[in-house]
Amino acid sequence: MITHEVQNQPPPREGIDEFAANVPLVEAVARCGTPAFPAGMSSEADAAPPALHDLGRLVGGADFQRDAELANTNPPRLVTHDRWGNRIDEIEYDESYHRIMAAAIAAGAHTSAWADPRPGANADRAAAFLLLAQVEPGHACSVSMTHAAVATLEHAAPGLQAEWMPRLLSRAYEPGLGAGSPVADDTGGTGGGAGGPGAPATAPKPSALVGMAMTEKQGGSDVRANTTRAVPRAGSGIRSEWGAEYGLTGHKWFCSAPMSDAFLVLAQAPGGLSCFFVPRVLPDGTRNVFRIQRLKDKLGNRSNASSEIELDDTLGWLVGEEGRGVATIVQMVTRTRLDCVIGTAAGMRQAVAEAAWHVRHRRAFGSLLVDQPAMAAVVADLALESEAATLTSMRLARAYDVDATESEQAFRRLATAVAKFQVCKRGPDHAAEALECLGGNGYTEAFPLARRYREQPLLAIWEGSGNVIALDVLRVLAREPESFMAFFDVVGEAAGEHPAFDLALAEARAVVGEVSGADAATAALRARELTERLALVLQASLLVQHSPGAVADAFVRSRLEGDGGSMYGALPPGVDVAAILERA
């Protein structure tokens, strides 16, 4: 006997070109990226690089979505020793993770903007990164760090760059470390590597990923409190063309993507805190000392490994100058902060897409959910937040291109921080509200929004939590006033288009003046207020200039005028909800 019949459940959301379906992203690529065809095409979607449509269909397909689920339900596993008892410190991943990584690297989501540094390249790369992170965010950690590491490695010795840059720019993905030679064991002797006892050395991998190890348990964000030591090892001659060689000893509380081929590490050298390049496999094919103590058991980000590591006279090569470690690695940090913004925008897009799909197919109380005013207002409000985050991330990405003027570089210095604060802070609540749109289904692991709900808080923490970012904005105010001038030049391009925006812009300028003239304690107390105001006028400016009037008006009135409530869906009267939903 048939006991029940499945009715009133939305069909699977698959077989979709996720790029074409994301109208704000398509428009942003046409504006900020590199058009594939001459101007005057029939639509902005037609003018986009075909590779983005290909990638959109890939991530919108059932196979990729299934891999995203498997990579998170079968998380990475630490393997400290091989079958013969030799220490290898490797991470085993499900094959689904490797398929996702291969797709991301093949799409150039890591370093395509460096490999072909044309105007618009960073926006193209950001769009690819967003599409992939929309469906599976965990893998984006190593993709992002490899992209960002290139900026720091430009300060490395020419010989190190010559050997490693081509590997970072490669679009081939090879998950193993690529060393089959003996490895140093804990007693100082040698044992079998991945290939077993006495296996011959192998050629270096043609491709590579780069991770990061900065924080320590006693300091966290205060990296100047680090105690890991770096002792010069002059005369060893292992790779003199790579620059000055050091032995690093210490413990790192968080090492991101420990399966990577190399890491940028902060350690205390004789001249102060310095940045070092630490490969997992040394030039002679032996394993560097890199002991993975344990993998972190995290709230989310389950497909990606994070770890604690021990370094014990581990070989590293100086990048930049001794004592200038923070200034050297900040080039990497700035770009990973940008990717936190892009990654949060990706999560917001997934949340909106899933919520909009559900309410368009689910009926309750006699009508489709989308036709019920309360639900429609919630999804429209979520879509406003998503569009604002997308436009902000793409505009910022464009500011990192090779043709960026001094003014653009000053703008991105401040705008990256304020966007990191605001967009990433909004991510968790956004995911929670979208999950609620699906009701009980949303709270189950069978649907992707439970996974997204756990993921979004990470991007508010990674590369600087809220207070760290807000205090960074104060430092920019004190040391780089030209960044504020450039910021207001960009934001001011929307002046005169909406009275409420003009008022908010004037108020933001006034708060800048008040904070800049305040004592340190007062300025710190107002740092979050200042940062939020700056972020909101930036987002509003971009929407007023580039989005339909209904979208811009709703955002300005609900975020700047204060007529709406603090909850999603409390939009002010007269907002064109139907027009906003049409873009979702």
Side-chain angles (χ1 to χ4, degrees):
M1 175 181 289
I2 297 176
T3 59
H4 76 282
E5 185 177 348
V6 176
Q7 298 178 351
N8 196 27
Q9 288 282 358
R13 188 176 181 278
E14 57 192 35
I16 294 171
D17 179 348
E18 291 287 5
F19 175 66
N22 190 343
V23 177
L25 180 61
V26 170
E27 294 173 351
V29 169
R31 187 167 57 249
C32 301
T34 306
F37 304 106
M41 299 297 295
S42 59
S43 71
E44 288 170 321
D46 291 337
L52 288 177
H53 286 287
D54 293 341
L55 188 58
R57 286 186 286 270
L58 174 69
V59 303
D63 290 345
F64 192 91
Q65 292 176 22
R66 178 60 175 159
D67 277 344
E69 181 181 358
L70 289 172
N72 283 271
T73 54
N74 300 315
R77 184 176 71 92
L78 172 61
V79 181
T80 57
H81 295 76
D82 67 12
R83 68 178 69 180
W84 298 282
N86 302 296
R87 184 136 193 175
I88 58 173
D89 295 286
E90 293 188 357
I91 314 294
E92 285 189 354
Y93 291 81
D94 190 81
E95 285 302 314
S96 58
Y97 176 88
H98 293 310
R99 288 191 292 269
I100 290 169
M101 281 296 298
I105 301 304
H110 60 326
T111 55
S112 60
W114 298 105
D116 183 12
R118 65 196 184 282
N122 275 284
D124 291 346
R125 178 258 164 194
F129 183 85
L130 188 151
L131 288 169
L132 289 151
Q134 174 182 330
V135 179
E136 205 302 292
H139 83 284
C141 177
S142 57
V143 173
S144 173
M145 288 188 297
T146 302
H147 161 74
V150 175
T152 290
L153 288 179
E154 288 184 336
H155 300 277
L160 192 150
Q161 291 188 48
E163 189 159 337
W164 281 88
M165 284 294 194
R167 298 172 66 184
L168 269 61
L169 300 182
S170 170
R171 293 202 183 191
Y173 171 67
E174 295 186 24
L177 292 175
S181 60
V183 296
D185 64 23
D186 288 347
T187 64
T190 60
T202 59
K205 286 169 55 178
S207 61
L209 299 174
V210 176
M212 176 193 295
M214 290 201 300
T215 59
E216 299 181 8
K217 53 183 175 287
Q218 76 282 352
S221 296
D222 183 10
V223 294
R224 295 189 185 278
N226 284 5
T227 59
T228 297
R229 296 291 167 183
V231 178
R233 294 179 52 148
S236 67
I238 290 180
R239 267 293 193 274
S240 57
E241 64 272 26
W242 286 12
E245 182 185 312
Y246 291 71
L248 277 61
T249 301
H251 177 269
K252 292 296 179 179
W253 188 236
F254 275 94
C255 173
S256 300
M259 73 293 183
S260 299
D261 300 283
F263 297 84
L264 290 173
V265 179
L266 290 181
Q268 299 285 357
L273 191 65
S274 306
C275 179
F276 297 91
F277 180 81
V278 176
R280 285 295 311 270
V281 177
L282 296 172
D284 63 0
T286 60
R287 298 284 180 93
N288 208 353
V289 179
F290 191 93
R291 299 180 188 132
I292 303 175
Q293 302 296 82
R294 62 172 175 171
L295 299 187
K296 297 290 191 178
D297 187 7
K298 298 172 292 186
L299 168 68
N301 200 240
R302 307 293 290 186
S303 68
N304 175 52
S306 303
S307 68
E308 297 171 35
I309 62 167
E310 290 282 357
L311 307 175
D312 186 2
D313 198 26
T314 301
L315 298 185
W317 282 261
L318 181 67
V319 180
E321 302 175 18
E322 267 198 18
R324 297 278 296 165
V326 173
T328 301
I329 207 168
V330 78
Q331 304 297 323
M332 180 181 190
V333 170
T334 298
R335 285 168 171 79
T336 46
R337 282 182 175 177
L338 170 60
D339 280 356
C340 287
V341 179
I342 301 170
T344 303
M348 287 182 174
R349 172 56 192 169
Q350 182 185 44
V352 168
E354 294 292 335
W357 182 266
H358 181 84
V359 302
R360 285 191 169 108
H361 292 90
R362 178 82 165 181
R363 302 182 71 87
F365 309 111
S367 64
L368 286 172
L369 288 174
V370 73
D371 294 330
Q372 301 182 27
M375 180 61 81
V378 168
V379 179
D381 210 356
L382 293 171
L384 287 179
E385 198 73 40
S386 175
E387 182 156 347
T390 298
L391 266 62
T392 301
S393 62
M394 294 297 288
R395 175 63 181 86
L396 277 176
R398 181 66 179 88
Y400 281 81
D401 276 332
V402 67
D403 63 338
T405 63
E406 289 186 9
S407 179
E408 275 285 277
Q409 294 175 44
F411 161 73
R412 79 190 189 203
R413 171 70 180 95
L414 176 59
T416 302
V418 299
K420 165 70 167 73
F421 177 90
Q422 181 70 10
V423 173
C424 298
K425 276 288 183 190
R426 297 284 284 177
D429 284 347
H430 189 275
E433 192 67 56
L435 182 154
E436 190 174 325
C437 292
L438 274 66
N441 283 354
Y443 200 67
T444 69
E445 296 297 334
F447 291 80
L449 293 192
R451 188 163 67 240
R452 180 59 63 180
Y453 178 65
R454 293 194 304 273
E455 190 74 27
Q456 291 292 62
L458 170 64
L459 297 173
I461 296 170
W462 193 37
E463 300 300 25
S465 56
N467 284 345
V468 171
I469 300 297
L471 294 175
D472 190 32
V473 170
L474 291 187
R475 281 189 288 272
V476 177
L477 179 60
R479 303 173 186 175
E480 303 174 50
E482 66 276 8
S483 290
F484 276 79
M485 294 174 59
F487 180 88
F488 281 117
D489 284 345
V490 171
V491 173
E493 292 172 3
E497 297 297 324
H498 198 296
F501 169 76
D502 291 346
L503 178 60
L505 181 57
E507 290 174 346
R509 289 181 182 274
V511 171
V512 170
E514 293 166 6
V515 172
S516 64
D519 60 80
T522 302
L525 285 173
R526 298 193 69 183
R528 281 179 171 240
E529 175 199 354
L530 170 64
T531 305
E532 183 178 17
R533 282 182 180 270
L534 293 173
L536 285 172
V537 294
L538 171 60
Q539 291 186 312
S541 174
L542 295 172
L543 291 170
V544 166
Q545 292 179 73
H546 305 301
S547 296
V551 173
D553 178 69
F555 186 89
V556 170
R557 292 179 60 200
S558 60
R559 272 64 168 177
L560 299 183
E561 279 189 336
D563 289 343
S566 60
M567 298 290 184
Y568 283 108
L571 293 171
V575 166
D576 192 345
V577 170
I580 299 169
L581 284 175
E582 186 65 27
R583 290 171 66 79

